[in-house]
Amino acid sequence: ICGEAISKKFKIGRPEETFTCGLLHDIGKLVMHIIDPKRLEFILSQSKEKKTGFIDIERSHDMLTHAYIGEMMAMKWNLPQVVRQSIRYHHTDVEKLSTILPSAKKTIQMVRLANAMAVKNKIGKSGDYSLGQITNDMVEPLGLKVEQIEEIEKDLPRLMEKAGAFL
């Protein structure tokens, strides 16, 4: 929802593509729930206890991340490359990565920004207990400023209510 709102409001990329990438970005967590629920419980409890990000716990324990697991599933399902890369890199500033398709970078950046917005505004239950900070390196590659994101954040309750009515 957040990514689609960014895409629509600022006319960046394709809103439906950004929505799909945002919808699937944490699919690795669902896979983890099925294949290793004890590991998932450990990460969730550590994230909550330390008030930090889910990805930070994965990295600090040198685990395969939910982003990597999700990308592997997306490859198995033959999803488009932009979807696979959005899943894999939604915690990474991809602006300077030469291995990322230039045409996919803005979508990945929007998914990354939308993820931070969702955490910051306590939307959903991702298991991320960080503050969800929105930083300049998230907005500048999109040609935006942090203040512009605050406009969307004010509208999030309405957007979420609208999405809830749809579901």
Side-chain angles (χ1 to χ4, degrees):
I1 307 292
C2 296
E4 179 185 37
I6 296 164
S7 182
K8 281 182 178 177
K9 181 167 182 67
F10 301 111
K11 297 179 180 21
I12 304 169
R14 297 180 7 216
E16 66 282 356
E17 181 177 80
T18 306
F19 175 83
T20 301
C21 291
L23 185 66
L24 295 174
H25 81 279
D26 272 343
I27 197 75
K29 291 178 183 178
L30 292 175
V31 173
M32 198 182 297
H33 173 71
I34 294 166
I35 63 172
D36 195 353
K38 288 184 179 178
R39 179 173 132 195
L40 178 64
E41 288 174 29
F42 171 78
I43 297 167
L44 290 170
S45 69
Q46 289 293 296
S47 179
K48 186 173 187 176
E49 181 183 313
K50 297 177 190 275
K51 296 190 180 352
T52 191
F54 190 99
I55 190 78
D56 299 320
I57 299 300
E58 291 173 313
R59 288 175 177 160
S60 70
H61 290 276
D62 200 27
M63 298 175 169
L64 286 178
T65 67
H66 70 281
Y68 178 79
I69 293 167
E71 181 193 32
M72 292 301 103
M73 289 307 302
M75 286 177 66
K76 183 175 177 61
W77 297 332
N78 294 316
L79 295 179
Q81 190 163 11
V82 66
V83 176
R84 295 191 317 258
Q85 289 184 332
S86 292
I87 293 169
R88 174 71 180 270
Y89 295 106
H90 71 273
H91 291 289
T92 305
D93 179 3
V94 297
E95 188 61 24
K96 295 183 176 109
L97 293 181
S98 61
T99 56
I100 303 296
L101 290 171
S103 61
K105 286 184 178 183
K106 288 201 185 294
T107 300
I108 298 167
Q109 292 289 85
M110 283 188 283
V111 172
R112 178 176 176 234
L113 174 57
N115 187 61
M117 289 171 64
V119 171
K120 178 182 175 195
N121 290 280
K122 298 181 179 15
I123 297 170
K125 298 185 187 310
S126 70
D128 188 320
Y129 291 92
S130 69
L131 298 176
Q133 295 177 328
I134 296 169
T135 57
N136 285 331
D137 67 313
M138 292 177 179
V139 295
E140 288 174 356
L142 299 170
L144 302 174
K145 292 183 167 58
V146 172
E147 297 78 29
Q148 291 174 288
I149 299 309
E150 291 168 356
E151 295 172 29
I152 293 177
E153 288 180 308
K154 289 176 188 169
D155 200 29
L156 281 178
R158 183 189 67 77
L159 293 171
M160 294 309 295
E161 186 175 325
K162 183 179 170 184
F166 173 72
L167 299 173

